[in-house]
Amino acid sequence: MAMTDPGPDGRFGEFGGRFVPETLMPAVQELEKAFRGAWADPEFRAELDHMLTHYAGRPSPLTDCRRISEELGLRLLLKREDLNHTGSHKINNVLGQALLARRMGKTRLLAETGAGQHGVATATAAAYFGMDCVVYMGEVDIERQALNVFRMKLLGAEVRTAMSGSRTLKDAINEAMRDWVATVEESHYCLGSVMGPHPYPWMVREFHRVLGDEARRQCSELLDGGVPDVVTACVGGGSNAAGIFAGFADSTAELVGVEPAGGAAVGRGVPGVVHGSNSYLMQDEYGQVKEAESISAGLDYPGIGPEHAYLAAEGRARYESVTDAEVIEAFQLLSRTEGIIPALEPAHALAWVSRERAALAGKTVLLNLSGRGDKDATQMMEVLS
Ligand SMILES: *Cc1c(COP(=O)(O)O)cnc(C)c1O
């Protein structure tokens, strides 16, 4: 059945696995063992639940949208991850990993970040637990995301510049992994999406499952025990989509992930190994990982988590892409009709719903609103003026 635990080798069908250098193997094995123990421990689960409730603000509401539904000719339900502390779904994963790191006796959190959102979330969790925090960020991204760099520093984190390669997210991941190998005694690498070597894709999905389980209960209440016809979410690495899909994988709901046209790893990518697991990624003709390009910095990861590659191959989920122009329109549409300014990432999912409105007529569509749009307001002010 879809979205249960991967095998002991971390495989989802032919995807996933653990392709790491010898020096990293003990660290990922120790992490897997610790996660298995923690996840089976009711005390760990209760402590995480307590933090999610009293610090992160869970459960997030489900909003039954009236005006946009009328405009599109369907029924749109939004899972409101934008209302979480720090403004997105990312807090679910970082609180889980930080609590696990503490249980493992670690005192230092490492993270990579592209647009800065995962770095900010990790720095937040580190501050909450009183842990040291080092965030790796490409030189190019540091220049583009000055406000998030400031936020991380304010939260007590050290931001280190990744100078190798294209000086963006994929280079930051490489440097964070290098740091981890050298400091594994005291450090935990807090990876930001459902990617990387086993156990990360599985573990990160499990930490986000809370949002899918909540949405399942909320939909059941609203729809007299029923489920939506379609469940959709944007896909960068794929963590928010994995969280909401996990709540509906065993149901009749159709699952649709939406990627940016300039980063469509499932649509235009090829199978290959990157950052420790086997999945789809964008490559050039020489097999080099290609830069993804998108209006939304949070989605410009050139790969996709291995479980999504598996769900696509099995036909349990499908993956569509939308253009920047469609995203800009969706961003304005939700703001104007519902009074909710979405982050540009989930605006991708809405752009797909809006484009496919004829095919979706009369259906109930659950969309994971993964984050709020405050962080994108300045960029959109320039785009729209
Ligand atoms: C980081 C981010 C994403 C992309 O990450 P996934 O792992 O694909 O979920 C999507 N939405 C928001 C609001 C984000 O901050």
Side-chain angles (χ1 to χ4, degrees), residues 61-131:
L62 186 81
T63 301
D64 193 355
C65 296
R66 193 172 49 82
R67 294 191 61 224
I68 195 173
S69 292
E70 208 164 284
E71 185 154 337
L72 296 177
L74 45 83
R75 184 176 187 184
L76 184 69
L77 310 176
L78 295 178
K79 179 58 176 165
R80 301 293 306 281
E81 293 299 291
D82 60 317
L83 295 177
N84 295 338
H85 179 45
T86 71
S88 81
H89 67 292
K90 287 195 167 72
I91 194 81
N92 305 323
N93 174 42
V94 298
L95 288 180
Q97 288 199 45
L99 187 63
L100 181 62
R102 199 190 61 182
R103 181 182 166 105
M104 295 171 78
K106 314 269 177 173
T107 55
R108 183 169 178 261
L109 291 182
L110 296 170
E112 82 293 343
T113 199
Q117 296 301 115
H118 175 59
V120 169
T122 305
T124 300
Y128 179 85
F129 282 103
M131 296 169 111

Side-chain angles (χ1 to χ4, degrees), residues 136-140 160-168 171-172 175:
Y136 286 86
M137 193 169 184
E139 191 182 25
V140 172
R160 288 195 190 158
T161 314
M163 305 286 286
S164 58
S166 55
R167 292 168 290 134
T168 56
D171 312 293
E175 298 204 12

